[in-house]
Amino acid sequence: MALFDLPLDELRAYRSASAEPEDFDAFWTRTLDAAREHDLDARFEPVDTGLSTVRVYDVTFAGFGGHPVKGWLTLPAAAAQPLPLVVEFVGYGGGRGLPHEHLLWASTGRAHFVMDTRGQGSAWGGGGGTADPVGGAPAYPGFMTRGLDAPENYYYRRVFTDAVRAVEAARSHPLTDPARTVALGASQGGGISIAVGGLVPDLTAVAPDVPFLCDFPRATTLTDRHPYREVGLYLKTHRGRAEDARRTLSYFDGVHFAARGRAPALFSAALEDQTCPPSTVFAAFNAWPHQDKAIEVYDFNDHEGGGPFQEAAKLRWLRSYA
C-alpha cells in the first residue's frame, strides 16, 4: 500500500478537529468515582505454568460496575522486593491469552500485568475470560458501536474504567512498585494506554504503539478498514444519528486523554497504516503536553508498525524510567 495520508512534515504539525465536551473531566470523575464505590477485591492466585524463570498469578479484580475482570501478573521467579511495573493492554478482538505468551517484560526484571478486555478474546491469540455483562442498544457486529447511543452506555466507558482499575489492582500486589508504573499496548491497547495516561496522574511513562481510538472525526471518514468502519456501517443503517455518534465518541477520543498526559511518552506510527491512519496517531501525539515525548515512525509499514523493532526501541527507552 502506498502512502495515503498526510506527508510526514504535515503529520508533525497536524492537530485534530475533535471537539472536547465541556464536561469531559466531570464525566470521567463521575465514572471512576462510581467504579471505586466497589471494593477492588484484587485476588492473585498462583498458576502452575511449567515455566521456571517466572511466577504467574491469575488475577481477578472489580472493574466497571464491580464486574469481575481477569488478568495475568508475571514476576521474575526470584523477585523478593517491589519491582518496576508494566501494565499492558491488548489489541482489538484479543484477550489476555495464555501466560507463556507474555514473557518479554518479566524477562527484563520487571513485573508485568496484562489486562483481559471484557467481551473480547475470540479473534486471535490464546483467548480471553472476561464477560461484558452490560447489554445495550442495537449495534453493528464488533465493539465500536455498542452503546453508541449515549456516552453513559458506550462500551469503551467500561473498558477504560477497567483499565484504570487494572493499574490499581496491579499496584496493590506487594511485589510491584506503584511509583514506577508504565502503561503500554498496541493498536486498541495503545488507545487504552493513552486513556490511562490521561486518567491516572502518576504514571512513570506511557508507550502507545500505532494506537487506535484516536481522532474519531478523521479516522471514521478517512479509512474503510475495520474497526473504524464499524461506525460508518452502523450510521449507514441508523440514518440521522451521526451527531449523536460524534457526541458519544468525543468522550472517548484519545486526543482528549492525550491532552491530559502527565508522563513521558513514546509513541509509534506507520505511514502505510490504514487501520489506524498516521494522522490520527499524530493527533494524539501532538496533543500530549509533556516535553519528554518521542514518536518512532515506520515509513513502509502498515498496522504491524515497528513490530519487534518497536519492542527493541521500548526496551531501550524504558531504561530511563522504570
Side-chain angles (χ1 to χ4, degrees):
M1 173 65 197
L3 303 184
F4 74 103
D5 206 338
L6 301 174
L8 184 57
D9 58 342
E10 293 183 29
L11 290 172
R12 296 195 185 280
Y14 173 73
R15 294 283 178 169
S16 172
S18 181
E20 181 181 304
E22 291 183 0
D23 65 338
F24 183 89
D25 290 317
F27 174 84
W28 282 106
T29 296
R30 291 194 307 271
T31 296
L32 295 179
D33 284 349
R36 289 174 178 136
E37 290 178 1
H38 302 274
D39 188 342
L40 183 61
D41 193 26
R43 287 165 282 156
F44 301 86
E45 301 292 334
V47 178
D48 181 4
T49 61
L51 301 169
S52 60
T53 61
V54 296
R55 282 182 279 161
V56 179
Y57 296 88
D58 183 355
V59 185
T60 307
F61 65 92
F64 179 91
H67 305 150
V69 179
K70 303 294 289 184
W72 298 120
L73 176 66
T74 305
L75 303 172
Q81 300 294 329
L83 302 172
L85 170 64
V86 172
V87 181
E88 183 174 6
F89 306 102
V90 299
Y92 196 79
R96 66 173 179 166
L98 300 174
H100 63 264
E101 297 180 77
H102 308 287
L103 298 179
L104 175 64
W105 293 108
S107 298
T108 69
R110 297 174 174 90
H112 176 239
F113 185 94
V114 59
M115 184 188 84
D116 210 25
T117 309
R118 63 167 60 217
Q120 299 191 30
S122 298
W124 55 269
T130 300
D132 182 13
V134 180
Y140 185 84
F143 304 94
M144 283 295 292
T145 66
R146 295 187 182 187
L148 191 59
D149 56 307
E152 293 77 12
N153 301 331
Y154 193 48
Y155 170 76
Y156 281 100
R157 182 181 183 223
R158 303 190 289 280
V159 172
F160 291 174
T161 302
D162 292 346
V164 171
R165 298 287 272 173
V167 172
E168 295 171 355
R171 283 174 157 178
S172 73
H173 192 278
L175 289 178
T176 66
D177 183 355
R180 293 181 290 171
T181 303
V182 178
L184 54 77
S187 192
Q188 175 185 255
I192 297 171
S193 70
I194 291 172
V196 169
L199 294 171
V200 179
D202 59 347
L203 295 175
T204 306
V206 178
D209 290 328
V210 291
F212 180 46
L213 305 169
C214 297
D215 196 6
F216 287 120
R218 183 168 176 83
T220 56
T221 56
L222 178 62
T223 181
D224 283 332
R225 279 216 195 144
H226 288 258
Y228 283 122
R229 185 57 185 151
E230 293 175 19
V231 176
L233 292 172
Y234 169 88
L235 293 173
K236 183 177 181 179
T237 299
H238 296 276
R239 298 167 176 82
R241 299 296 303 276
E243 188 57 38
D244 292 340
R246 281 192 288 268
R247 176 178 178 272
T248 293
L249 292 172
S250 69
Y251 287 86
F252 305 91
D253 198 319
V255 171
H256 307 319
F257 291 110
R260 291 157 172 79
R262 298 175 177 87
L266 177 65
F267 282 65
S268 71
L271 298 190
E272 295 188 3
D273 188 350
Q274 292 185 76
T275 301
C276 295
S279 57
T280 68
V281 175
F282 272 90
F285 175 75
N286 292 336
W288 197 272
H290 201 285
Q291 291 185 343
D292 188 356
K293 66 178 182 179
I295 185 166
E296 299 283 342
V297 177
Y298 297 93
D299 47 1
F300 289 99
N301 289 92
D302 199 328
H303 194 51
E304 76 279 2
F309 291 86
Q310 182 61 15
E311 288 184 337
K314 286 185 291 189
L315 287 168
R316 293 189 298 270
W317 183 76
L318 280 179
R319 289 173 184 166
S320 300
Y321 303 103

